[in-house]
Amino acid sequence: EIVLTQSPDFQSVTPKEKVTITCRASQSIGNNLHWYQQKPDQSPKLLIKYASQSFSGVPSRFTGSGSGTDFTLTINSLEAEDAATYYCHQSSSFPFTFGPGTKVDIK
Amino acid sequence: EVQLVESGGGLVQPGGSLRLSCAASGFTFSTYNMNWVRQAPGKGLEWVSFISGSTGTIYYADSVKGRFTISRDDAKSSLYLQMNSLRADDTAVYYCARGPTGSGFFDYWGQGTLVTVS
């Protein structure tokens, strides 16, 4: 099973600040890494697919990068509505796995 | 508009069974992979099961293998999860999630249905 780790676990950020979340895989997964946003009491929403491809309708301030074992989700100029937990997910092999999540709070 | 609506959750005793359903609309259901993903209260996301849209290929997480069965009825645009021998650690919100054929990401999710085993 491929294990995903995320850092940080929690981040408190001021609006307009830049946020960087990293996801590391226990073995190489190519670009089979996706990012989701989950706001309180809502279902997750896809932000980035295949490491760097933005999903339709996602604001341009959300970008992804990386390949192999190290990946990054960047939120440029954070907005208040971005308060959420962010999860990475690998689809390189079954069982699919998720990272533990990074909670982003607005100061 | 893509819609996924789960139902069938509820309170069940340990060792009991429950069948979840996910009604899909707004897209050609048969051509998409479908998944179940769960989230225990206050915890992260855990993938549970996958069924492909073409060949019917099925996968399960080790934590549910042998106890849960995923199935689909393309004529009814519905996805199911039969859960047997339920345990307290199966308590979670269960989401159905769509995945385009040939891909691994989940582009649309339902609102979830809560299963409580107690």
Side-chain angles (χ1 to χ4, degrees), chain A residues 34 36 38 42-44 46 49-50 55 87 89 91 94-96 98 100, chain B residues 35 37 39 43-45 47 50 59 95 102-107 109-110:
Chain A
H34 321 292
Y36 303 86
Q38 186 179 33
Q42 293 187 17
S43 55
L46 178 66
K49 55 181 180 171
Y50 295 119
F55 183 58
Y87 295 93
H89 154 229
S91 63
F94 288 98
F96 288 165
F98 288 90
Chain B
N35 297 264
V37 177
Q39 187 170 35
K43 303 296 185 183
L45 301 171
W47 170 79
F50 163 99
Y59 294 97
Y95 298 100
S103 72
F105 58 87
F106 308 147
D107 59 355
W109 299 60

